[in-house]
């Protein structure tokens, strides 16, 4: 038997005499004998041709990606424009919402002030004792109404005479002068309470003073209405509104326990000084307004 490993003739032996290979296993399993041809490496031509075939079968790039890129850029630009327009719309909506919120807040404040005004008008002094810091805004609104209504009174009064260009002399000046009188009144009350060493809250002081000024607003509204009917009644109502300012100043001060300490000046004199100061400012400011308007009437070149 020929050995498949070393090609040595061994006869009927089970093992090769030269290399010792098992001849029976090799014979019984011929599939295990390696095939020299199958183990031979692949020729160079075959590998080159297979490479060329694979490369030739690969897809040839075309102009489709460029077209798709242009479409993508167009889509992105359109999307950016849509996003910008959507941002503008959202900003406009937000502005509208903010304006609506401001309008709603103004309506709510006006409703609250109207209910406050009506409740105070019936019992101003008793309400003054119960107000707190939360009513300070109502106090400022009341003082603003007094300033506007008093200046409106002068504007309507002198415009009925036939004078032109009275906005500065007939509206702005009385508005500023009335505002100065009210602010000076608050400052004097603040100073007296500090001299008396009384603990108080400034916002509560403003709320108390504004509460007592509510009847003055009604008096000024009636004064503006009675200008058309009777000047004498209108002037009387205007005077009543300024008298209420003095009454409110004294009522706020006298509700505090004054003269608890040995101050340099007695409480009676401090309150009297405050009234004199307010009266002097009122007299001078209103006198200047009236004299200025009379000067406009007498001089045609002095009208503003």
């Amino acid at each position: 038997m020929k050995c498949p490993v070393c090609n040595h003739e061994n006869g009927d032996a089970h093992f090769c005499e030269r290399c010792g290979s098992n001849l029976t296993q090799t014979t019984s399993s011929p599939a295990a004998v390696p095939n020299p041809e199958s183990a031979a490496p692949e020729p160079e031509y075959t590998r080159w041709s297979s490479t060329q075939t694979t490369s030739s079968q690969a897809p040839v790039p075309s102009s489709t990606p460029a077209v798709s890129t242009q479409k993508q850029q167009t889509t992105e630009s359109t999307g950016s424009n849509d996003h910008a327009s959507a941002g503008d719309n959202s900003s406009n909506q937000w502005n509208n919402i903010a304006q609506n919120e401001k309008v709603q807040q103004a309506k709510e404040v006006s409703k609250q002030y109207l209910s406050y005004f009506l409740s105070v008008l019936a019992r101003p002094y008793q309400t003054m004792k119960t107000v707190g810091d939360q009513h300070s805004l109502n106090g400022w609104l009341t003082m603003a109404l007094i300033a506007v209504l008093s200046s409106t009174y002068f504007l309507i009064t002198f415009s009925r005479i036939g004078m032109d260009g009275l906005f500065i002399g007939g509206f702005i000046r009385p508005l500023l002068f009335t505002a100065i009188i009210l602010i000076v009144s608050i400052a004097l009350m603040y100073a007296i309470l500090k001299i008396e060493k009384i603990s108080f809250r400034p916002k509560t002081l403003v709320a108390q003073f504004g509460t007592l000024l509510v009847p003055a607003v009604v008096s000024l509204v009636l004064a503006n209405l009675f200008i058309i009917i009777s000047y004498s009644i209108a002037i009387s109502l205007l005077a009543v509104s300024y008298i209420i300012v003095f009454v409110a100043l004294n009522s706020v001060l006298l509700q505090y326990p004054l003269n608890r300490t040995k101050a340099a000046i007695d409480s009676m004199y401090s309150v009297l000084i405050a009234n004199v100061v307010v009266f002097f400012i009122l007299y001078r400011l209103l006198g200047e307004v009236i004299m200025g308007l009379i000067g406009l009437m007498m001089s045609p070149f002095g009208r503003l």
Side-chain angles (χ1 to χ4, degrees):
M1 180 177 292
K2 188 175 182 178
C3 179
V5 177
C6 61
N7 296 326
H8 179 71
E9 290 291 339
N10 295 293
D12 296 332
H14 296 282
F15 295 96
C16 180
E17 295 177 354
R18 179 181 294 178
C19 63
S21 299
N22 191 353
L23 301 178
T24 57
Q25 183 178 3
T26 304
T27 306
S28 59
S29 55
V33 179
N35 190 1
E37 294 179 0
S38 62
E42 184 179 5
E44 186 69 22
Y45 174 77
T46 304
R47 288 191 282 114
W48 179 84
S49 61
S50 62
T51 304
Q52 293 295 323
T53 304
T54 305
S55 61
S56 63
Q57 291 178 357
V60 179
S62 62
S63 61
T64 303
V67 176
S68 62
T69 303
Q70 294 178 356
K71 291 181 178 180
Q72 184 177 3
Q73 292 177 354
T74 306
T75 305
E76 290 178 355
S77 61
T78 306
S80 62
N81 294 329
D82 294 338
H83 182 70
S85 61
D88 295 336
N89 293 330
S90 62
S91 62
N92 293 330
Q93 291 177 358
W94 175 254
N95 293 331
N96 294 331
I97 291 172
Q99 292 177 359
N100 292 332
E101 288 181 353
K102 292 180 180 179
V103 171
Q104 293 297 329
Q105 290 177 358
K107 290 181 179 179
E108 188 67 23
V109 171
S110 62
K111 289 179 180 179
Q112 292 178 358
Y113 181 76
L114 181 60
S115 60
Y116 158 84
F117 186 89
L118 295 176
S119 63
V120 169
L121 187 61
R123 296 181 179 273
Y125 186 76
Q126 292 182 1
T127 308
M128 181 267 296
K129 294 182 178 180
T130 60
V131 294
D133 294 353
Q134 67 274 13
H135 298 96
S136 61
L137 178 60
N138 294 327
W140 288 116
L141 289 175
T142 303
M143 287 184 276
L145 286 175
I146 290 174
V148 172
L149 290 172
S150 61
S151 57
T152 304
Y153 173 85
F154 287 103
L155 181 63
I156 296 174
T157 300
F158 287 93
S159 62
R160 286 177 60 84
I161 301 175
M163 297 178 62
D164 298 328
L166 290 174
F167 183 74
I168 295 179
F171 186 82
I172 299 298
R173 285 182 180 177
L175 179 69
L176 295 177
F177 291 164
T178 307
I180 291 172
I181 291 170
L182 296 174
I183 293 174
V184 169
S185 300
I186 295 175
L188 290 171
M189 290 187 292
Y190 182 87
I192 291 173
L193 293 178
K194 281 294 185 181
I195 293 173
E196 295 287 339
K197 298 180 180 179
I198 296 175
S199 60
F200 66 97
R201 300 176 67 88
K203 289 185 177 180
T204 304
L205 186 68
V206 172
Q208 292 173 345
F209 185 61
T211 301
L212 294 177
L213 291 178
V214 168
V217 175
V218 178
S219 179
L220 285 170
V221 171
L222 294 176
N224 283 277
L225 294 177
F226 273 93
I227 294 175
I228 303 173
I229 302 173
S230 173
Y231 282 113
S232 60
I233 297 176
I235 293 173
S236 300
L237 291 171
L238 179 67
V240 168
S241 64
Y242 284 105
I243 291 173
I244 292 174
V245 174
F246 288 93
V247 175
L249 185 146
N250 292 278
S251 299
V252 172
L253 288 176
L254 295 176
Q255 69 148 343
Y256 287 96
L258 301 178
N259 202 21
R260 295 190 306 171
T261 60
K262 294 181 179 180
I265 185 173
D266 190 79
S267 301
M268 176 182 175
Y269 296 114
S270 60
V271 174
L272 180 61
I273 291 172
N275 284 271
V276 171
V277 170
V278 173
F279 179 78
F280 179 76
I281 295 174
L282 177 64
Y283 172 75
R284 290 297 302 270
L285 295 182
L286 291 181
E288 289 183 5
V289 172
I290 295 173
M291 294 304 295
L293 292 175
I294 292 175
L296 290 176
M297 294 173 59
M298 300 301 293
S299 175
F301 299 100
R303 298 177 182 177
L304 298 175

